[in-house]
Amino acid sequence: MPVYLNQDDALAIWRDALSASVRSDGPDLSSRQMAILMTVYTQPPPHTVRGLSDSLNISKPAISRALDRLGQLGFVRRRRDDYDRRSVQVQRTVKGAVFLSEFADLVSDAGRELESPTPFEAGTPAEQLLSDEEF
Amino acid sequence: MPVYLNQDDALAIWRDALSASVRSDGPDLSSRQMAILMTVYTQPPPHTVRGLSDSLNISKPAISRALDRLGQLGFVRRRRDDYDRRSVQVQRTVKGAVFLSEFADLVSDAGRELESPTPFEAGTPAEQLLSDEEF
DNA sequence: TCAGGTCGTTTCGGAAGCGAAACCGACTTT
DNA sequence: AAAGTCGGTTTCGCTTCCGAAACGACCTGA
């Protein structure tokens, strides 16, 4: 079921989770690598290079390299497709599942720790983001 | 007030927003750059290089370079502190506020479009993430 | 005033990412 | 079976990012 987030909450959650992730000493994946990883783990298989390339609008070589990196981290595995041996299927691993699970916890925590911080202010969202900028 | 997200929802929101962001043709910021930008815009000023470095656990040169990049995108501005002229204050801009505002919309949209997709499965979250892995 | 600390930037060498294009093995078409 | 197509990887030249260390400007305390 839907979750309704206003801009402030959306940004606060993203900031907190992202900051925690950046601050941590875990491997820092690029946005693309993270998007690929999450797609592989939360969308129905099979996942191919071509499919990921199309669905994320990323060039094939970039996908291939990202899989190298994710593979060497142990977050993903390649397996040749036996029915079409040109094709490669990207498979999940325990290590990748654990990593994503912990990341999901960061996001959940960020949401749970939201205090209602919005002390009523007027203006459009973008204006609020700028409320204390000096020009 | 808190927002309670289970792991599936947290991952789905993050994946959708991140994928949309990756797919788009906007500038792709690194995680660190994004974390810096969000900190500057959602935390009370002033923001200094040192402060960002400490709070995000990122080296000072990396902060400095990230500010170069964010500055050349017009998302942030540097201003010398008049009381301590060694120090630099990182300031917000309209362009940065618009960028973040649009990004927040991506996140909100991802939350709003959550269908309850969890067709009841047993096991720990990490096990669910692996439910269709073959070993 | 000046020695030492602080703040931010720059330099340095190196690691990692990128798209375009070439490439290779594997299907498919004729 | 030859030609063409398709999926994925590799190569190429380039850009971007990294931390450590050096640096210049500035502040502070004796």
Side-chain angles (χ1 to χ4, degrees), chain B residues 107-121:
Chain B
V107 181
S108 297
D109 291 349
R112 188 172 312 110
E113 276 153 26
L114 268 187
E115 293 305 328
S116 92
T118 6
F120 185 77
E121 275 183 38

Side-chain angles (χ1 to χ4, degrees), chain B residues 4 19 38 45 48 61 99 101 110 120 122 126:
Chain B
Y4 297 97
S19 296
M38 300 188 103
T48 65
F99 174 80
S101 174
F120 185 77

